[in-house]
Amino acid sequence: EKEIAVSGLRGRVLADFITDREGGLAGYSFTTTDIVRQAEALRGSGLDVPEPLAVSRMVPAGHTLRWRVLLPEGVNWRRPWPFLIQADPANADHEANEPPGDHPLGATGVAGVTVIVERIDRVRALYGKHLGLELQREDRVPELAADRARFIHEGFTVDLLAPVGAGPVRSELDSAGEGLFQLLLRVANLDAARAWLARSGIALQPAPGQPGGWLIPPERAAGARLALIEGNGAAE
């Protein structure tokens, strides 16, 4: 039996999410260079947005990295929007000496996220007007029984999915509520990634609604939906 330390609303939301699951995707963040201005913009959407929090972490080399974090509605987990983070300029000097490591999967970054919502019209303006993303298109994804609004910023995509009937999106919404549904990871070589996963007995599946994307079965990824796409191109 697991014991989960709970502190405040953020802790309770995360505890509720992981208590009955092996794992999954809890939340995501955007970086910003002006967190005060972004806080004002989000307040204009009608969200309750507290003042940014100062957070820090000591790394093994002995120095401390610092950030300011903005939590709309005071929670960074299982919400239909991201939290925001602004790094202290001094972090860059330390991070330059500690480059990220390589993973055998060949992942080079996150190409996009998919967020499930009850109704797209309730959050469309938040992503477009208040977060500044461009609405690329709206369509339907029959494989997921969901309507989709796709936003894009510098090649990074945010798909909002709302259910239109029984299907994976409706099931996830009923089980976990609104929030992050899938990460789209960019890999350098899809064939190499597929071969590496196959050695562990993991076979990729076509990612619904994502041409050229391949999904790691969630039951083989601790409950998380991780889709892979090759190269530097944006999601289609």
Side-chain angles (χ1 to χ4, degrees):
E1 182 177 349
K2 295 180 293 185
E3 291 187 4
I4 303 172
V6 175
S7 176
L9 178 59
R10 284 182 288 155
R12 291 196 300 274
V13 169
L14 184 59
D16 289 344
F17 177 67
I18 66 176
T19 294
D20 298 322
R21 357 183 109 69
E22 180 184 4
L25 301 172
Y28 73 108
S29 68
F30 285 169
T31 60
T32 179
T33 57
D34 192 343
I35 204 164
V36 173
R37 182 188 62 80
Q38 192 62 72
E40 289 303 316
L42 287 173
R43 290 181 186 119
S45 73
L47 292 178
D48 178 16
V49 182
E51 291 300 311
L53 300 173
V55 299
S56 63
R57 176 172 63 87
M58 180 173 287
V59 299
H63 51 261
T64 299
L65 301 179
R66 293 181 170 83
W67 301 268
R68 298 173 73 192
V69 177
L70 191 66
L71 307 178
E73 300 289 338
V75 180
N76 48 339
W77 313 124
R78 299 309 306 172
R79 291 296 183 266
W81 48 72
F83 64 98
L84 289 98
I85 187 166
Q86 180 174 350
D88 188 296
N91 290 2
D93 295 334
H94 300 306
E95 291 170 345
N97 297 321
E98 298 179 4
D102 295 324
H103 191 279
L105 185 64
T108 60
V110 180
V113 297
T114 300
V115 179
I116 55 172
V117 298
E118 188 67 59
R119 288 170 40 195
I120 289 174
D121 61 338
R122 293 177 57 188
V123 290
R124 184 189 287 108
L126 188 150
Y127 277 89
K129 178 180 178 181
H130 302 289
L131 285 173
L133 279 68
E134 174 190 352
L135 178 61
Q136 187 183 53
R137 68 172 185 266
E138 295 187 77
D139 57 10
R140 179 160 292 182
V141 185
E143 311 98 298
L144 296 173
D147 284 337
R148 172 172 60 186
R150 170 162 288 183
F151 292 84
I152 189 166
H153 180 70
E154 297 181 355
F156 182 88
T157 61
V158 176
D159 284 351
L160 303 181
L161 294 181
V164 293
V169 172
R170 180 75 262 172
S171 295
E172 181 73 5
L173 193 58
D174 290 343
S175 170
E178 295 180 307
L180 189 58
F181 178 63
Q182 179 174 283
L183 289 183
L184 181 62
L185 303 178
R186 187 175 285 116
V187 296
N189 185 299
L190 190 55
D191 288 338
R194 182 183 288 112
W196 183 78
L197 290 166
R199 287 194 288 273
S200 296
I202 300 173
L204 296 177
Q205 307 166 351
Q210 181 57 65
W214 291 85
L215 180 68
I216 299 174
E219 64 271 15
R220 301 303 304 273
R225 290 181 63 95
L226 305 176
L228 309 181
I229 191 170
E230 184 179 87
N232 297 317
E236 297 181 10

